[in-house]
Amino acid sequence: MAYSDTRIVIGGLAHVPVLIFIANFIKGKFVIKTEETKDALVYEEPVKIIEVKDTVFKEGKSEAIKELSNKLDNIEQKADEVYEKVKKKKKDKKKKKNN
């Protein structure tokens, strides 16, 4: 039984939506879903500025620097002492092994 050209075309057009649905379904299974990002606006309170006199700040800063330098000097002295003790112990061990 032979079909006319119009009947074949109409039958093909009827199947196009079905094929598109199947293709989209398969594509949906393999596509990585992305999350939408939402921009959040954060409103901050204005910062209050407090004026400080330079002389007071500089004096406090210089005192802090002096204290830190004194502490650093003490640490360096202790490190040198420990280094000398370790060096002396190594020499004593070598002497004992040689005897």
Side-chain angles (χ1 to χ4, degrees), residues 42-47:
V42 179
Y43 295 102
E44 296 181 8
E45 295 180 14
V47 178

Side-chain angles (χ1 to χ4, degrees), residues 2-15:
Y3 294 107
S4 66
D5 291 337
T6 55
R7 191 169 189 177
I8 293 173
V9 171
I10 291 172
L13 291 175
H15 286 88

Side-chain angles (χ1 to χ4, degrees), residues 48-61:
K48 294 181 181 178
I49 299 174
I50 300 171
E51 294 183 20
V52 179
K53 293 183 179 180
D54 293 337
T55 56
V56 174
F57 182 70
K58 288 181 180 178
E59 289 175 4
K61 188 176 181 181

Side-chain angles (χ1 to χ4, degrees), residues 77-90:
Q77 288 174 355
K78 289 180 182 179
D80 289 338
E81 290 173 6
V82 170
Y83 178 73
E84 292 298 323
K85 286 180 183 179
V86 170
K87 194 174 180 182
K88 191 174 185 180
K89 285 183 180 180
K90 285 183 180 180

Side-chain angles (χ1 to χ4, degrees), residues 37-43:
T37 58
K38 294 181 181 178
D39 295 333
L41 296 176
V42 179
Y43 295 102

Side-chain angles (χ1 to χ4, degrees), residues 59-74:
E59 289 175 4
K61 188 176 181 181
S62 64
E63 289 176 8
I65 291 172
K66 285 179 186 177
E67 289 178 17
L68 289 175
S69 64
N70 288 338
K71 289 180 182 179
L72 182 61
D73 290 338
N74 290 339

